[in-house]
Amino acid sequence: MSDMLGAWGRWVYRFRWWLLAASALSLAPASVILIQGAQLEAGTMLTTTESGRAASLMARQLPGQPVSFELILSSATLRATDRVFRDEVQRALAPLKADPRVARVRTPYDVSPPDPAMLSRDGHRARVLVELAVRASGLVTLGFSSVSPEVYASLRAKVQSRTLEVVGAGMLAINHDFVEVAKRDLKRAELVILPVVVVFLLLAFGSVVAALLPLGVGVLAMIGGIAGTELLARHMSVSAYAPNIVTMIGLGVAIDYSLFIVNRFREEIGRRPVPEALARTMSTTGRAILFSGVTVAIGLLGMLALGLGNIGSLGLAGTIVVALSVLYGLTFLPAALAILGPHVNALSLPRLGFLGLGDGSGFWHRLAALVMTHPWRFFLPAAGLLLLLGQPFLHIRLGAGDVTALPRWAEARRGAELLAREFPSDDETPIIVVLSYREGSPLSPPRVGEVYDLSHWLVKLPGVTAVRSLLDLSPDMSREDYQRFVKIPQAMWPSEMQEAVSRMVGERIMVLAVSTSHSPGSDEARALVRAIRASHPPVDGEVLITGATAFDLDFMGVVQRNAPFAIALVVVATYAALLVLLGSVLLPLKAVIVNLLSISASYGALVWIFQDGHLSRWLDFTPGSIQTATPIIMFCLIFGLSMDYEVLLLSRVREEYERTGDNILAVGAGLERTGRLITWAGAIMAAVFFAFALADSVIIKAVGVGIGIAVVLDATVVRALLVPATMRLMGTWNWWVPGPMARLARMARPEMGQPAARGVSADGGRGISSRRRP
């Protein structure tokens, strides 16, 4: 492969202007896609779980209620029953009532006296229900509807008042705000990231021209990645957080890869003509970033194995931007280097030279010598530190995200808090029970009797405040009364019963709504759902539970079932890629184990900060349960990204080992040559991720901070201490490979050849030398 990439470098030199033009022209289709835009989703739906199946049955068999949102109109001085307050409400709602997308606007003043359920406890607020012409059913139970955030935004904008404060509430408002906050976070992060990256690149290279090249690759990859994400959204459900993930990974990975290529080219240009310098750069560092891209993509694609709805789109979007980072790193960047040649160092900044990449001597040389002279003294404390940092992960609490994941200023969050505080009917959590029958009507007398028994059993459960169903409309009717009543033709039923049937009874299903005072994510609410599922009275059909709490439990169940397979898939595939790259059986295993240590440390930091609430004031968020998908998403992201520096360092060590045949010298030289380089690369990538600590969305904030910490640990503790210490301890076992596998490797990689001294190190194979130390 090295020979192929070397030949590729010469080909790039020959067609450098064509490749540069093609890279620039690639922005045209990406720009068209970005201008057209696409709809992204704030949540994810799992139709294979019990709660998802129940919601899908309701969506198919019930005509549903109108999709709706709520408005809360408030005054600090006027009471909601005052004539001035009422007149202003009517005036503010007039444009909404005239909109053809609105079916009905319900206010407290539709009846006389005003409906007390729609007036606040303090008497200064009125609640308004806006029903749209669109109808939905089961999916609304889990917060999904066919109404886009843009439709809600346009309707909400119609309601304005000079004397009353207007606040939107409900699932439409919440979904809209999650999408808008994600967009706002992305714009803010980009404004912060780009100037910081420019400064770091200038400090690293000490040259304006050299610094702009990685930035160019990063911008190309990011634009292409976001365009690819929006193109993906036209064919499948894509998470609203995908553009944020693309920006995080795209800028970080693309700039890191470019940093390594530009630095290696600057080394080679002083020794060889430009075509050969480019060929050497591609055959060494180009090969390393290709394999690094594969390991990052493997981690990202692991999200597809989780089966978590559109969360898999995060992995696909991330893979797109990683592929583009590698593509532009092997096309646009070498073409630009071929054109610049020695002028890559133009516009140098001499005063920054002492901070730059240098020749690798000095501090990193001394550190490598110190670590490998006393490997145990560094290995044990470093490993112990990572395990200690991971300790808080042992008391992690998972839960579904709720409105508190929005910033305090978000209108939907303020609306939800007002509803819970001021309107008594919103103090309760709904748990939806769906009875599904294979055949026959749900309203047959025997089944009606079973539903009556189930309803009365449910209402006696601890924490249940009410049960609403077709058989709870009249407290004076007995079980037998309902069984006799359903024999009467439905056309003769009272209107309220017929309306209840349309809302709660389908062709093969019947729905019961259980209310509880427990919050959706509480242990008590989860215990209640588990109790209903485990011990409900027998019925002639299937009992399915849905609602926010049931969805939360089912989501965690899917993660628990699928995460081991996804993790194993990522680990095995990464091991195989590193085996091919390094030609060693044990080094990839060591890399995986060390990687897991750094991931555990970042998990511990995640819990310590976002669950336990440390730094909550500085980072401005509300502490709470870690969202169920966050740890496994972070694993898939971190595992590949953490392998980045491992691949680049070990590739250089392998190169030195093939040249010298001495394990100690190879490790020392590899660390020397990549020390400052990886430090700057880690600083840039950490800056990219930490910029998302400024996000208003807790999910994005947590992922950014968690991955940033992992990158810092990987670029310092792992790379500077654990890697050289373990490689020193392993000695020539680092490069051990079974005979048959070694022959296959030589056949696949003839350029690899044999290391000097036939693979025997200076210590005679024991991995320890009393005569030669780095």
Side-chain angles (χ1 to χ4, degrees):
M1 180 176 289
S2 295
D3 287 346
M4 293 175 58
L5 286 170
W8 171 255
R10 297 182 184 91
W11 187 90
V12 168
Y13 179 81
R14 182 179 178 186
F15 296 99
R16 54 194 180 277
W17 288 106
W18 287 102
L19 280 173
L20 200 67
S23 300
L25 290 174
S26 68
L27 292 174
S31 300
V32 172
I33 295 171
L34 290 175
I35 292 171
Q36 293 175 344
Q39 182 175 336
L40 305 178
E41 303 291 338
T44 185
M45 177 66 181
L46 304 183
T47 56
T48 57
T49 62
E50 179 179 323
S51 56
R53 287 171 52 219
S56 297
L57 283 172
M58 293 170 65
R60 289 197 303 269
Q61 297 194 31
L62 296 179
Q65 299 301 302
V67 175
S68 64
F69 63 91
E70 295 185 84
L71 298 170
I72 304 168
L73 296 95
S74 310
S75 171
T77 57
L78 297 173
R79 297 191 66 83
T81 52
D82 293 345
R83 170 59 62 182
V84 176
F85 190 106
R86 296 174 59 169
D87 291 345
E88 181 60 18
V89 169
Q90 299 301 334
R91 189 204 64 77
L93 296 176
L96 207 57
K97 293 179 178 179
D99 194 296
R101 294 170 294 180
V102 177
R104 183 170 67 161
V105 179
R106 296 175 56 191
T107 74
Y109 316 114
D110 294 341
V111 295
S112 183
D115 185 353
M118 302 185 77
L119 299 177
S120 64
R121 288 186 173 100
D122 65 4
H124 290 275
R125 295 175 174 85
R127 178 179 182 176
V128 173
L129 181 66
V130 181
E131 298 178 351
L132 306 187
V134 178
R135 301 182 75 84
S137 48
L139 299 182
V140 177
T141 302
L142 301 180
F144 298 89
S145 77
S146 57
V147 177
S148 69
E150 289 76 15
V151 171
Y152 166 78
S154 65
L155 292 174
R156 170 64 186 85
K158 290 178 177 287
V159 184
Q160 304 293 332
S161 175
R162 295 180 179 179
T163 58
L164 302 179
E165 180 190 16
V166 183
V167 176
M171 287 309 306
L172 283 182
I174 292 172
N175 288 340
H176 167 269
D177 280 6
F178 269 115
V179 173
E180 290 304 310
V181 166
K183 292 179 181 178
R184 175 188 170 113
D185 290 342
L186 180 60
K187 292 177 182 178
R188 181 195 293 120
E190 289 172 349
L191 291 175
V192 173
I193 289 169
L194 292 178
V196 172
V197 167
V198 169
V199 171
F200 278 19
L201 287 171
L202 287 173
L203 292 174
F205 285 119
S207 161
V208 174
V209 172
L212 290 177
L213 290 174
L215 188 64
V217 175
V219 171
L220 282 171
M222 185 179 67
I223 292 174
I226 295 178
T229 300
E230 296 199 353
L231 189 63
L232 202 65
R234 299 178 188 179
H235 304 283
M236 62 181 291
S237 174
V238 173
S239 170
Y241 302 112
N244 302 71
I245 297 296
V246 164
T247 301
M248 284 185 194
I249 297 173
L251 278 178
V253 168
I255 291 175
D256 266 17
Y257 291 168
S258 305
L259 189 71
F260 279 86
I261 287 178
V262 172
N263 184 69
R264 186 60 183 255
F265 180 77
R266 293 173 83 191
E267 285 184 23
E268 300 295 339
I269 196 67
R271 307 168 185 165
R272 299 174 173 86
V274 174
E276 292 307 309
L278 201 59
R280 179 64 176 169
T281 300
M282 289 294 99
S283 66
T284 54
T285 307
R287 181 170 178 269
I289 71 161
L290 181 60
F291 274 90
S292 179
V294 169
T295 61
V296 175
I298 287 170
L300 292 168
L301 291 175
M303 293 188 201
L304 295 176
L306 294 171
L308 296 178
N310 65 18
I311 286 177
S313 68
L314 300 178
L316 286 175
T319 302
I320 290 172
V321 77
V322 169
L324 290 173
S325 299
V326 174
L327 176 65
Y328 285 122
L330 296 179
T331 55
F332 164 79
L333 183 58
L337 291 172
I339 292 169
L340 289 169
H343 299 294
V344 68
N345 296 316
L347 300 180
S348 61
L349 305 172
R351 293 185 180 181
L352 300 181
F354 74 99
L355 292 171
L357 297 172
D359 62 0
S361 60
F363 171 77
W364 294 107
H365 175 87
R366 293 191 298 271
L367 179 62
L370 182 62
V371 171
M372 288 191 291
T373 302
H374 308 285
W376 284 111
R377 296 182 186 179
F378 287 92
F379 173 77
L380 293 177
L385 174 64
L386 294 180
L387 290 173
L388 180 64
L389 292 175
Q391 189 273 337
F393 182 64
L394 297 177
H395 66 266
I396 189 173
R397 175 182 170 80
L398 300 175
D402 58 19
V403 73
T404 60
L406 288 170
R408 294 179 179 87
W409 53 259
E411 184 176 276
R413 176 171 176 175
R414 292 189 291 121
E417 290 171 347
L418 277 175
L419 287 177
R421 187 175 71 245
E422 295 292 341
F423 296 89
S425 60
D426 273 82
D427 289 344
E428 298 177 341
T429 299
I431 296 173
I432 310 301
V433 180
V434 179
L435 302 177
S436 175
Y437 304 98
R438 291 189 176 182
E439 57 184 17
S441 170
L443 294 177
S444 65
R447 289 176 175 172
V448 165
E450 291 177 348
V451 175
Y452 183 92
D453 294 339
L454 176 61
S455 176
H456 283 69
W457 176 80
L458 288 169
V459 80
K460 296 176 182 178
L461 292 176
V464 173
T465 56
V467 177
R468 295 185 299 278
S469 72
L470 180 66
L471 308 183
D472 295 286
L473 299 179
S474 175
D476 298 329
M477 293 181 66
S478 66
R479 186 180 193 273
E480 291 73 20
D481 291 336
Y482 276 110
Q483 288 179 308
R484 286 192 294 269
F485 181 83
V486 295
K487 295 178 181 179
I488 302 173
Q490 287 190 23
M492 301 175 62
W493 289 13
S495 58
E496 62 270 18
M497 290 287 286
Q498 293 187 29
E499 183 182 354
V501 168
S502 69
R503 289 186 289 107
M504 298 183 175
V505 182
E507 183 181 1
R508 295 287 185 271
I509 66 170
M510 184 181 294
V511 175
L512 298 86
V514 179
S515 297
T516 175
S517 56
H518 304 310
S519 62
S522 66
D523 290 334
E524 293 81 6
R526 294 177 182 179
L528 181 58
V529 170
R530 292 190 183 102
I532 296 173
R533 285 175 167 174
S535 56
H536 61 78
V539 297
D540 179 26
E542 187 178 12
V543 177
L544 304 173
I545 314 298
T546 188
T549 305
F551 178 78
D552 187 12
L553 285 173
D554 291 346
F555 196 91
M556 286 191 288
V558 171
V559 171
Q560 290 171 355
R561 287 194 302 273
N562 295 348
F565 172 73
I567 291 172
L569 187 66
V570 169
V571 169
V572 171
T574 302
Y575 177 88
L578 292 178
L579 178 64
V580 174
L581 172 68
L582 300 173
S584 166
V585 171
L586 297 180
L587 268 185
L589 182 61
K590 184 272 304 178
V592 167
I593 294 172
V594 170
N595 209 5
L596 293 176
L597 282 175
S598 64
I599 290 175
S600 70
S602 67
Y603 277 179
L606 178 74
V607 173
W608 188 79
I609 295 172
F610 292 96
Q611 179 178 301
D612 298 344
H614 299 95
L615 308 183
S616 60
R617 287 188 179 181
W618 286 11
L619 297 177
D620 191 24
F621 66 92
T622 302
S625 299
I626 303 298
Q627 293 211 9
T628 306
T630 299
I632 191 64
I633 290 174
M634 284 182 56
F635 175 86
C636 294
L637 291 171
I638 294 173
F639 196 86
L641 292 172
S642 293
M643 283 294 178
D644 189 13
Y645 304 129
E646 189 88 9
V647 167
L648 294 166
L649 171 59
L650 293 182
S651 295
R652 192 61 183 255
V653 172
R654 175 82 218 188
E655 185 181 335
E656 295 294 332
Y657 181 70
E658 291 177 4
R659 185 176 63 85
T660 66
D662 190 305
N663 177 69
I664 299 176
L665 293 178
V667 174
L671 190 59
E672 289 173 20
R673 303 305 303 176
T674 61
R676 285 190 177 184
L677 183 61
I678 291 180
T679 299
W680 280 113
I684 292 170
M685 185 176 284
V688 169
F689 285 111
F690 283 139
F692 284 89
L694 302 175
D696 291 314
S697 168
V698 177
I699 303 170
I700 295 298
K701 193 189 297 282
V703 171
V705 171
I707 299 179
I709 291 172
V711 168
V712 170
L713 291 173
D714 190 68
T716 55
V717 176
V718 171
R719 180 258 311 177
L721 302 178
L722 279 181
V723 170
T726 53
M727 293 191 72
R728 177 67 172 86
L729 292 170
M730 291 167 65
T732 52
W733 283 102
N734 285 309
W735 313 107
W736 177 78
V737 62
M741 192 177 294
R743 287 190 291 273
L744 288 175
R746 284 193 293 272
M747 292 173 61
R749 297 171 55 202
E751 78 280 358
M752 180 173 151
Q754 292 286 345
R758 301 291 179 184
V760 179
S761 67
D763 55 11
R766 296 184 300 276
I768 300 173
S769 174
S770 59
R771 294 174 298 161
R772 300 179 64 181
R773 296 191 183 275

